[in-house]
């Protein structure tokens, strides 16, 4: 039986995407060939890449606005260094809201001066810093829109009016409406809301490129990937194809506007249970709670074994928290149904009745 998959990443994708993707492994477009054995230069695959890129821009409302969508490799972790390599000339400002932000900061320091313009490290990253003072001489500002591990999410990006904004959106891309044209560079590892691991979506405003005067190795140069339409080298064909299927699914189901409503309902459902059920307490401060990753702990750790086995019994997968927070984390990406969230809430209720 299919499980309720709350895994933080790799994670749930729409069932119809799994079905179509597995079909394409056997026989892609009735070609008598598998998607993973055809040339990436074949017309069939070039069409896939084009559709994936244009769907990404369309869904984000960035078509015709000077942006390019690329499907690269090396995960979001490679973007930590690639962003700085391509954009950091003298000084960049980073907002440190968790482990991923900290890793991005570490990499960027190899390329220039990096200042932390705000941090929530003082409270183990359970909140998003507010009232951020941004110096006027930054090449760019970097932030992490959703902190997958700690379960916080930036709701207000108004700090970023004075410098180009670079954002790691790995775990909430395509989940909510934002004015995406405020961002000069968005990157996201596919495996949280878009596809299998193996490709990273990079959406870049082309006019921010070409401003640093260092040599950039070809594989790390956004301009080269942009000029070759993500085909500078062999792209991860299956990951791109499956991402395209997910983007098609999203568009067919009403796009970001519709999925955002569902994501809000799912988040309300779990957070109200966390708040009402005396056995649990939320980790993130209320106003900064993520709609994608809900983090919570048991008030009484002695109930852990019971709760864990009840979760297992009910077909839950991946509700265990990250080691740096402990407790539990329910990741509710776009493809998660409200029924799965309701099923988890039911287990939490049942624990309360039992305890
Ligand atoms: C998972 C994640 C990453 C790391 O992605 P990789 O593709 O494994 O490099 C980076 N940032 C955020 C916000 C993430 O959730």
């Amino acid at each position: 039986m299919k499980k309720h998959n709350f895994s933080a990443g790799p994670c749930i994708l729409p069932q119809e995407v799994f079905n179509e993707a597995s079909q394409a492994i056997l026989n892609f477009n009735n070609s008598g060939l598998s998607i993973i054995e055809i040339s990436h230069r074949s017309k069939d695959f070039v069409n896939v890449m084009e559709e994936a890129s244009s769907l990404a821009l369309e869904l984000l409302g960035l078509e015709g606005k000077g942006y390019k969508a690329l499907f690269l490799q090396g995960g979001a972790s490679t973007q930590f260094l690639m962003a700085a390599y391509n954009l950091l000339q003298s000084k960049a400002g980073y907002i440190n809201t968790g482990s991923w932000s900290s890793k991005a900061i570490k990499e960027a320091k190899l390329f220039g001066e990096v200042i932390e313009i705000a941090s929530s490290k003082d409270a183990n990253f359970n909140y998003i810093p507010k009232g951020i003072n941004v110096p006027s001489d930054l090449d760019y500002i970097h932030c992490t829109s959703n902190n997958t591990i700690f379960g916080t999410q930036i709701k207000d990006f108004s700090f970023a009016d004075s410098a180009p904004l670079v954002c790691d959106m790995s775990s909430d891309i395509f989940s909510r409406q934002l004015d995406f044209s405020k961002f000069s560079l968005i990157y996201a590892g596919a495996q949280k809301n878009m596809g299998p691991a193996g490709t990273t979506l990079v959406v870049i405003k082309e006019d921010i490129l070409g401003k640093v005067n260092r040599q950039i190795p070809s594989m790390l140069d956004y301009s080269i990937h942009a000029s070759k339409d993500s085909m500078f080298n062999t792209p991860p064909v299956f990951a791109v194809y499956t991402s395209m299927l997910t983007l098609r699914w999203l568009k067919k189901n009403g796009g970001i506007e519709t999925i955002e409503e569902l994501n809000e309902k799912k988040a309300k459902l779990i957070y109200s249970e966390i708040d009402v059920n005396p056995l649990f307490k939320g980790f993130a401060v209320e106003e900064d709670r993520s709609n994608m990753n809900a983090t919570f702990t048991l008030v009484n750790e002695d109930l852990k074994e019971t709760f864990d086995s009840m979760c297992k019994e009910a077909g839950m997968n991946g509700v265990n928290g990250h080691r740096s927070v402990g407790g539990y984390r329910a990741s509710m990406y776009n493809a998660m149904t409200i029924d799965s969230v309701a099923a988890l809430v039911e287990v939490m209720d049942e624990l309360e009745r039992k305890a």
Side-chain angles (χ1 to χ4, degrees):
M1 214 193 58
K2 182 72 187 176
K3 295 200 168 155
H4 301 290
N5 189 9
F6 289 91
S7 181
C11 62
I12 187 170
L13 289 173
Q15 192 57 40
E16 66 181 78
V17 168
F18 289 136
N19 294 343
E20 283 178 76
S22 53
Q23 183 52 43
I25 289 276
L26 298 172
N27 185 4
F28 173 55
N29 282 354
N30 278 321
S31 61
L33 295 165
S34 167
I35 178 82
I36 56 175
E37 69 178 327
I38 61 169
S39 165
H40 60 292
R41 308 267 176 214
S42 64
K43 180 132 187 18
D44 276 352
F45 187 74
V46 171
N47 288 344
V48 168
M49 184 62 95
E50 279 174 11
E51 186 177 344
S53 309
S54 64
L55 277 172
L57 292 181
E58 184 187 337
L59 287 161
L60 298 172
L62 292 175
E63 267 179 326
K65 294 192 175 163
Y67 286 81
K68 191 103 187 172
L70 306 173
F71 288 85
L72 306 182
Q73 299 187 62
S77 299
T78 296
Q79 294 309 308
F80 297 161
L81 66 104
M82 209 163 150
Y85 220 144
N86 285 260
L87 305 175
L88 176 49
Q89 182 63 41
S90 53
K91 189 163 143 192
Y94 277 64
I95 301 176
N96 190 358
T97 51
S99 319
W100 298 118
S101 308
S102 305
K103 287 181 175 164
I105 290 167
K106 175 169 181 262
E107 299 302 303
K109 283 181 174 163
L110 300 170
F111 301 95
E113 188 186 345
V114 172
I115 54 169
E116 274 186 41
I117 54 177
S119 170
S120 49
K121 198 170 180 188
D122 56 355
N124 196 24
F125 301 113
N126 75 347
Y127 72 100
I128 299 291
K130 314 282 170 358
I132 301 169
N133 236 331
V134 180
S136 59
D137 58 345
L138 300 177
D139 294 329
Y140 63 88
I141 300 167
H142 181 284
C143 64
T144 311
S145 54
N146 184 72
N147 299 283
T148 327
I149 293 173
F150 300 93
T152 62
Q153 191 171 29
I154 300 179
K155 317 272 160 139
D156 175 8
F157 293 86
S158 57
F159 54 80
D161 291 332
S162 59
L165 182 55
V166 175
C167 187
D168 176 358
M169 284 195 197
S170 291
S171 53
D172 69 349
I173 190 146
F174 303 120
S175 74
R176 57 171 170 164
Q177 289 185 292
L178 290 172
D179 178 2
F180 293 100
S181 68
K182 271 184 86 108
F183 299 86
S184 295
L185 172 64
I186 295 167
Y187 61 87
Q191 71 275 18
K192 310 270 164 61
N193 229 349
M194 191 174 70
T199 192
T200 309
L201 174 65
V202 173
V203 176
I204 191 157
K205 199 167 189 196
E206 291 193 272
D207 67 8
I208 62 161
L209 296 174
K211 297 194 174 152
V212 291
N213 52 21
R214 68 169 67 86
Q215 294 267 9
I216 304 172
S218 306
M219 269 301 279
L220 299 177
D221 188 336
Y222 291 127
S223 317
I224 289 189
H225 289 291
S227 71
K228 302 286 183 191
D229 296 316
S230 307
M231 296 273 201
F232 170 68
N233 72 319
T234 315
V237 290
F238 184 68
V240 174
Y241 177 70
T242 308
S243 298
M244 182 208 73
L245 293 176
T246 310
L247 297 177
R248 264 191 198 163
W249 167 86
L250 182 56
K251 184 180 168 184
K252 193 179 79 186
N253 288 287
I256 296 180
E257 193 181 340
T258 307
I259 209 79
E260 179 176 29
E261 279 173 32
L262 175 65
N263 288 335
E264 277 174 2
K265 281 194 192 125
K266 291 184 291 184
K268 268 207 189 91
L269 188 57
I270 188 119
Y271 286 123
S272 47
E273 176 66 17
I274 291 168
D275 290 341
V276 160
N277 191 324
L279 302 183
F280 294 97
K281 86 175 179 286
F283 173 76
V285 308
E286 222 173 299
E287 61 178 1
D288 299 325
R289 283 172 166 175
S290 163
N291 279 359
M292 294 281 100
N293 315 93
T295 44
F296 54 100
T297 52
L298 274 167
V299 173
N300 177 0
E301 276 292 319
D302 294 347
L303 291 173
K304 180 173 162 33
E305 226 172 283
T306 314
F307 184 58
D308 288 354
S309 67
M310 284 166 67
C311 282
K312 197 168 170 209
E313 186 76 12
M316 303 291 150
N317 178 66
V319 288
N320 48 301
H322 189 274
R323 62 191 176 279
S324 45
V325 176
Y328 298 90
R329 170 174 52 172
S331 297
M332 305 169 287
Y333 298 113
N334 284 350
M336 165 136 305
T337 64
I338 194 149
D339 291 348
S340 284
V341 180
L344 175 59
V345 165
E346 177 52 35
V347 177
M348 294 164 80
D349 264 345
E350 199 188 322
L351 183 72
E352 187 188 353
R353 287 195 298 272
K354 265 193 183 170

